[in-house]
Amino acid sequence: MKWEDTKQMKKSTKLFKIFLTLFFCALATVAGAQIKGVVIDNSTGEAIPNATVVYKGLKISTIADIDGQYVIQRHNGAELTFSAVGYKSQTVLISNKIPSKMNVKLDTDIELLSEVLVKSKKKRYSRKNNPAVELMRRVIDAKKRTDLKNNDYYRFRKYQKITLAENDITPSDLLESKRFKGKDWLINQVEMCDINKKLILPLSVGETVSDYIYRKSPKTERTIIEGQRSHGINDIIQTGDILNVAIKDLFTDVDIYDDQIRLLQYQFTSPIGRTAIQFYRFYIQDTVRIENDSCIHMAFIPNNQQDFGFRGDLWIVKDSSLHVKRCELSIPKRSDVNFVDNMKIVQEYTKLDNGEWVLTTDDMIVEMSLLDFLSKMVVIRTTRLGDYSFDEIPNKLFKGKKKEILRPDAEMRDDKFWADNRAVELTKSEGRMKTFVKNLTETKGFKYVLFVARLFIENFVETGGKNKPSKVDIGPINTMISNNFIDGFRSRVSAQTTANLNKHLFLSGYYAHGWDSKKNYYKADVTYSFNKKEYLPREFPKRTISFTSTYDVMAPSDKFISTDKDNVFTAFKWTKVEEMMFYNRQQLSFEYEQEYGLKTSLFLKRESNEACGKLSFTPLSTPGVSKKLNTSELKAELFFSPGQTYINTKQRRTVFNKDAPEFSLSHTIGFKGFLGGDYRYNFTEARIYKRLFLNSWGYVNCTLKAGAQWNTVPFPLLIMPAANLSFILQRETFSLINNMEFLNDRYASVDIGWNLNGKLFNRIPLLKHLKWREHIGFKCLWGKLTDKNNPMLNPNSSLLMQFPEGSTIMDPHRPYMEVSFGIHNIFKLFHVEYVRRLNYLDLPTAHKHGVRLMMQMTF
């Protein structure tokens, strides 16, 4: 009987596999129900680039690539039309008799619409006397007339769904791959994508319902989030908000009526932007009817398809509004954009009863391949806009400075709310995302995979277990081993508590040991957050008070690096760092952030420094005697960055959207006789950062700084240049200034970095295939040391100290300068710079040039 059951079970398993094979092959057949081929010039036999292939009436179309190759979905019974500028259109009735591969030959035509002057295919594209260009000029000029912001008020409701999924799964993967074997729940999660007709495995889905409101005077716009939720693999890792923030910022809303479209953190020239005529080539294709509107079908491509631009189609209404009825945007296959295999954006506009044209559909699909050994991914963003109103909006809704307001119950909405407000239904796999995540976490061996993933992604090790969220995290891991001149080999163990222990109170710190110095070091921090936190106290908005006590060793230049000074990678220096100091520091900090970008900070600090290595704190009045430097100070700082977004890692909070400008102003007062402080001083510093976009020429990052030490102080309290002694590039630091090489009490600096996005390399044969991108940098430091702080002019001063060996007084008429020439996007991962110092080359500490690098993944 048991043998019979086993036999029957094997037979059932076999039948199930056959069923799966037939089922997924059927799905693959549906996905593969496409027609492809080449559009050819009938007289010359040459391929016709950028030909349009369209099902009239079905709103389905595509554009042949530069080699005339096209792929389009099969729709039996529909008419498929092939057209190109300068050729007669050809229409084919699609039926079962039409093969899946169909090459189409077009005859040249002397006319294209009655009003279009057609140029010979052999002639070069010209903007002069070009009807397509003249029409686009009129479309661009008409933008102002149809802008919704001409109204005193308007509002609308928006529903958005963003899905992240593994892409292009094959039936053989499901039947043969070990990861699917015996996991029916995982196979059931796989579904057919209606857009790209491929099998996908949804991994996360996020939904947002929001109201947008606008007031013309005083100009105010605001988004009120009524409902928001997200489920998927981002729930598994504690810093899962990185995924949510990154996807929303990278694949943000697109408005073709803007001159520049921000996408993938780059600026793409809009096809109806002010510079579109110079950037794109336009071709009138046909006159078609979409719903009740007669439209001119316009195709466009960038002049250079490797530049950051779109190719696609516009359907422009043939009336006085010249408004876009529909647009389809994609990225050229030869584009310099990284990791994106295919992208399509579809937008539709609707004319309201009052005559206004409004956006109602905004969909995007992006197919990506990050690395060859990783699975292909797809992001699908579905957006619907409706309930437009132009009635007066109560002033109370515009109170405050927040641009985005999250309703208190927005993340607690029930199923009824989503059923009533969801404009597009979830797919079956999206709807069972919670069950999918539960099954995933219960898979045998998954906890070990997750442990390794967290180690690399988060740089921390969690101490929690199954159904027990981590209350204490161990890390950062990359600081456990390092090296410096005093300690030689150095080991360190660090830990921090999380909001799973207490949502307001947080503890963190480390213990370190120097094996050559045989010294022990520590840092202990206690932080109280006035607002509840999801995981860590630095989450935006940060509203905290904290106390920190530290005893450790450092080089004076360590305070300029943005990463942890014990990071094992920054331990490798291009120069020997022998001047160091021990510091014993206690600090009380108060930080308060507003949602609109203003941050107020107060720091009360007491610190004692003791020179070590080849550094000494030797007063001019007592030569040969090194003393401790004791200070107590109060620092107040204002920081403002409207529109800045952050991602929170377990180690630090990082700015994700670097487009936002930054302004900061701080003043520090040193107290003599208070908390053991020996010096009275005042130090003021200001900073401005701005990213400037240059259309297709990339962007420029500009940072301006200035500061002054107003009092007479010993050299450790003077202004040291932001020197980076590591081979790893650091933002806003000088790559070839040595440790304490210049000491000033007045300074101003400029840091300019120009990323050309491959604008030059894309035009060089052979080199353009590497898709490298150029970077040009210039850094300048002006400094001055006033007479009161010059030890050579005040040899008997009781306050001043002997300058360290190698320190130089800068000539105020000769600022320090360095330039850099870099290549990034090497293997889509590395950035390498050659740095050249332009002056002060005669100094014994000067390094004339060097090579610096960093890892940088960008689209």
Side-chain angles (χ1 to χ4, degrees), residues 147 183 323 795 837:
D147 189 351
K183 301 182 181 70
H323 202 280
R837 179 168 171 157

Side-chain angles (χ1 to χ4, degrees), residues 625-663:
V625 179
S626 181
K627 61 174 288 187
K628 287 187 176 181
L629 184 78
N630 298 310
T631 59
S632 58
E633 64 183 37
L634 176 66
K635 178 181 178 180
E637 181 176 16
L638 291 175
F639 175 86
F640 182 58
S641 182
Q644 195 167 75
T645 57
Y646 304 91
I647 56 174
N648 295 300
T649 69
K650 291 188 176 182
Q651 190 168 358
R652 64 178 59 86
R653 188 176 74 176
T654 304
V655 176
F656 191 76
N657 172 15
K658 294 184 173 61
D659 300 352
E662 298 175 3
F663 308 90

Side-chain angles (χ1 to χ4, degrees), residues 27 257 429 580 620 625 649 820 834:
L27 285 179
Y257 276 82
S429 296
M580 303 189 71
L620 297 179
V625 179
T649 69
S820 61
Y834 169 76

Side-chain angles (χ1 to χ4, degrees), residues 525-572:
D525 179 275
V526 55
T527 298
Y528 180 81
S529 175
F530 295 99
N531 51 344
K532 286 185 178 181
K533 296 301 179 182
E534 293 294 324
Y535 200 77
L536 292 171
R538 50 183 167 270
E539 295 164 2
F540 183 84
K542 186 178 182 181
R543 296 169 180 176
T544 61
I545 185 169
S546 61
F547 177 77
T548 307
S549 181
T550 312
Y551 176 73
D552 209 336
V553 64
M554 65 178 287
S557 59
D558 284 345
K559 62 182 178 181
F560 299 116
I561 61 176
S562 57
T563 186
D564 196 298
K565 70 179 183 65
D566 288 332
N567 187 321
V568 65
F569 298 107
T570 58
F572 300 99

Side-chain angles (χ1 to χ4, degrees), residues 279 281 301-309 332 334-335 758-759 762-763 768:
F279 187 83
R281 298 180 182 185
I301 58 171
N303 286 316
N304 187 319
Q305 294 195 52
Q306 281 192 267
D307 287 343
F308 280 68
R334 291 190 292 163
S335 170
K759 187 69 173 181
N762 289 347
R763 285 152 178 80
K768 66 181 181 181

Side-chain angles (χ1 to χ4, degrees), residues 65-297:
D65 64 18
I66 199 71
D67 299 315
Q69 297 182 9
Y70 74 94
V71 178
I72 196 166
Q73 188 178 353
R74 175 187 288 270
H75 288 277
N76 290 337
E79 292 185 339
L80 185 61
T81 300
F82 298 82
S83 60
V85 178
Y87 294 87
K88 294 180 180 179
S89 298
Q90 184 178 147
T91 300
V92 179
L93 178 63
I94 302 302
S95 67
N96 291 328
K97 297 180 180 180
I98 299 296
S100 59
K101 185 173 183 180
M102 180 175 64
N103 295 337
V104 177
K105 297 180 180 180
L106 300 183
D107 295 317
T108 54
D109 192 1
I110 59 172
E111 290 183 328
L112 183 66
L113 303 178
S114 58
E115 73 271 20
V116 178
L117 176 63
V118 178
K119 300 289 184 179
S120 168
K121 175 179 175 288
K122 296 292 185 180
K123 290 188 178 180
R124 188 178 180 182
Y125 178 86
S126 174
R127 299 183 183 92
K128 188 176 181 181
N129 299 323
N130 186 329
V133 172
E134 293 305 316
L135 174 60
M136 289 309 301
R137 292 190 195 277
R138 292 169 56 201
V139 172
I140 294 169
D141 290 340
K143 289 198 306 179
K144 294 180 181 178
R145 299 196 303 270
T146 58
D147 189 351
L148 290 182
K149 292 181 180 178
N150 292 329
N151 294 281
D152 292 332
Y153 298 91
Y154 78 92
R155 69 189 302 167
F156 61 81
R157 171 153 285 207
K158 182 173 80 172
Y159 168 81
Q160 187 170 84
K161 178 180 71 170
I162 300 179
T163 303
L164 173 69
E166 184 180 341
N167 192 31
D168 202 10
I169 297 172
T170 64
S172 60
D173 289 334
L174 296 170
L175 296 173
E176 300 172 8
S177 176
K178 290 182 179 180
R179 64 177 174 138
F180 288 104
K181 188 175 181 180
K183 301 182 181 70
D184 292 346
W185 61 269
L186 189 57
I187 294 175
N188 291 335
Q189 186 70 8
V190 176
E191 62 184 12
M192 178 65 66
C193 176
D194 291 334
I195 304 173
N196 64 4
K197 303 304 178 184
K198 296 177 182 178
L199 293 175
I200 64 172
L201 175 66
L203 300 174
S204 73
V205 59
E207 297 180 280
T208 305
V209 173
S210 60
D211 287 325
Y212 172 88
I213 57 176
Y214 171 82
R215 178 178 62 187
K216 186 176 181 179
S217 180
K219 185 178 179 180
T220 314
E221 50 189 330
R222 177 165 295 163
T223 299
I224 304 171
I225 299 176
E226 299 288 348
Q228 181 173 274
R229 70 177 183 180
S230 176
H231 298 297
I233 57 171
N234 45 303
D235 297 333
I236 297 174
I237 56 175
Q238 296 295 343
T239 52
D241 69 317
I242 294 177
L243 184 62
N244 297 331
V245 172
I247 288 177
K248 287 183 179 180
D249 192 81
L250 291 170
F251 308 105
T252 185
D253 296 339
V254 169
D255 187 352
I256 62 168
Y257 276 82
D258 288 336
D259 292 326
Q260 295 291 318
I261 296 172
R262 185 180 179 275
L263 189 65
L264 305 174
Q265 293 195 322
Y266 287 97
Q267 294 282 341
F268 290 73
T269 299
S270 169
I272 55 174
R274 286 181 302 168
T275 60
I277 300 300
Q278 292 74 38
F279 187 83
Y280 290 104
R281 298 180 182 185
F282 294 95
Y283 303 92
I284 295 177
Q285 301 295 295
D286 205 346
T287 299
V288 297
R289 255 196 124 66
I290 301 179
E291 296 174 344
N292 297 321
D293 299 299
S294 178
C295 302
I296 300 171
H297 179 194

